[in-house]
Amino acid sequence: MPTKTLHIPTPDGQADAFAVHPDDGSQHPGVLLYMDAFGLRPVLEEMAGELARHGYFVLVPNVYYRHAPSPVLDLPEHIGEDVRSGIIGRLMPLIEAHTPERVLRDAGAYLRFLTSLPEVSDGPVGTIGYCMGAVLAMRTAAAHPDQVAACAGFHPGPLVTDAPDSPHRQLSSLTAEVHIGLAEQDMTPEARAELEQALDAAGVGYTTEVYPDTVHGFTMSDTDAFDPAGHQRHWDRLLPLLDRNLTTD
């Protein structure tokens, strides 16, 4: 599967990104994949490649582009628990600077870019995300209901908060089918119930599921959090979701 580096025009500059897609000369449905907090790196390219093997054009932007092109930090090949907190500490100012307003400005730019590419077929797209990227995927789907038909988030960042602009308070216009794959400590039962109430009110199809014996970050094979069974379960949920909702060749 070919991987190419791209630059996405946004209202605030240019976001560097990579894309992975089938090399068959045909058009394929678009998927916008939002990174986790650690940023663009080989494991995300591998995951995008797996989606491409199933017939999708996958765009993965560097959401920290306002601060620096990728790699924003020099990461070790394996992010162990002994270094994780230090890396997160260095990234936290970038995470906090990525406000909901910036998320939505970027989301429109990413979708315009993705759907304009000649390799991407007409029709709806999917948004997926990991960790903080799950929040971005949900915000994007809610803000662009006419374009996003499938939305998935795995070991998500906070989807339910007390803030007026909490992601779960922004779902009234959502039309996408949603799957949220949770690690065991990702969300309290009360927060999960609030999220499900918001999804019920939106009238969309959805599933929320706690993946057994997992911790936050379970899909990421370059971290100590990786769980092979949880990783496979994530594919078992994600691929049918995309197949149901995006037109495939």
Side-chain angles (χ1 to χ4, degrees), residues 168 171 189-203 206:
H168 81 291
L171 302 183
E190 295 78 13
R192 184 178 176 188
E194 280 196 63
L195 176 62
E196 291 177 347
Q197 288 171 6
L199 291 165
D200 284 333
Y206 71 89

Side-chain angles (χ1 to χ4, degrees), residues 34-37 84 95 128-139 151-161 167-168 178-188 191-192 195 199 207-211 214-220 234:
Y34 282 111
M35 65 193 209
D36 64 352
R84 182 183 185 279
I95 296 169
I128 64 178
Y130 301 88
C131 180
M132 73 171 194
V135 177
L136 309 188
M138 286 285 281
R139 289 194 186 278
C151 176
F154 300 95
H155 43 87
L159 292 171
V160 176
T161 74
H168 81 291
V178 174
H179 175 73
I180 302 296
L182 299 161
E184 289 193 340
Q185 303 302 316
D186 275 339
M187 191 175 287
T188 67
R192 184 178 176 188
L195 176 62
L199 291 165
T207 52
T208 67
E209 181 179 1
V210 176
Y211 290 19
T214 59
V215 298
H216 185 78
F218 60 81
T219 63
M220 297 296 156
H234 128 276

Side-chain angles (χ1 to χ4, degrees), residues 1-248:
M1 297 291 155
T3 300
K4 56 186 176 184
T5 300
L6 299 168
H7 291 87
I8 305 170
T10 80
D12 298 330
Q14 278 200 336
D16 54 302
F18 68 80
V20 189
H21 59 92
D23 190 19
D24 58 6
S26 299
Q27 291 184 320
H28 295 275
V31 172
L32 177 58
L33 190 159
Y34 282 111
M35 65 193 209
D36 64 352
F38 295 122
L40 303 192
R41 60 198 194 281
V43 69
L44 292 180
E45 188 173 335
E46 293 169 10
M47 296 171 82
E50 181 66 19
L51 287 170
R53 281 188 286 275
H54 284 84
Y56 298 99
F57 185 104
V58 187
L59 179 67
V60 189
N62 167 28
V63 304
Y64 298 145
Y65 72 89
R66 292 177 180 85
H67 303 274
S70 182
V72 176
L73 295 183
D74 290 328
L75 296 172
E77 288 187 9
H78 184 84
I79 303 168
E81 283 304 306
D82 57 330
V83 298
R84 182 183 185 279
S85 62
I87 294 170
I88 290 294
R90 294 169 66 192
L91 289 171
M92 191 55 65
L94 281 66
I95 296 169
E96 292 174 345
H98 202 53
T99 61
E101 293 77 16
R102 285 184 170 185
V103 171
L104 294 182
R105 286 205 302 274
D106 288 348
Y110 297 158
L111 289 176
R112 283 191 297 274
F113 184 84
L114 175 62
T115 57
S116 71
L117 293 170
E119 301 94 338
V120 175
S121 57
D122 294 336
V125 303
T127 60
I128 64 178
Y130 301 88
C131 180
M132 73 171 194
V135 177
L136 309 188
M138 286 285 281
R139 289 194 186 278
T140 300
H144 296 274
D146 56 332
Q147 290 182 282
V148 181
C151 176
F154 300 95
H155 43 87
L159 292 171
V160 176
T161 74
D162 293 331
D165 59 358
S166 171
H168 81 291
R169 303 184 197 279
Q170 311 299 314
L171 302 183
S172 60
S173 61
L174 185 73
T175 60
E177 183 182 352
V178 174
H179 175 73
I180 302 296
L182 299 161
E184 289 193 340
Q185 303 302 316
D186 275 339
M187 191 175 287
T188 67
E190 295 78 13
R192 184 178 176 188
E194 280 196 63
L195 176 62
E196 291 177 347
Q197 288 171 6
L199 291 165
D200 284 333
V204 298
Y206 71 89
T207 52
T208 67
E209 181 179 1
V210 176
Y211 290 19
D213 303 316
T214 59
V215 298
H216 185 78
F218 60 81
T219 63
M220 297 296 156
S221 62
D222 61 351
T223 73
D224 284 353
F226 180 64
D227 181 82
H231 182 73
Q232 183 57 51
R233 185 183 292 260
H234 128 276
W235 288 123
D236 292 343
R237 302 297 186 265
L238 176 57
L239 292 170
L241 173 74
L242 298 177
D243 289 344
R244 282 194 300 273
N245 293 285
L246 307 185
T247 301
T248 55

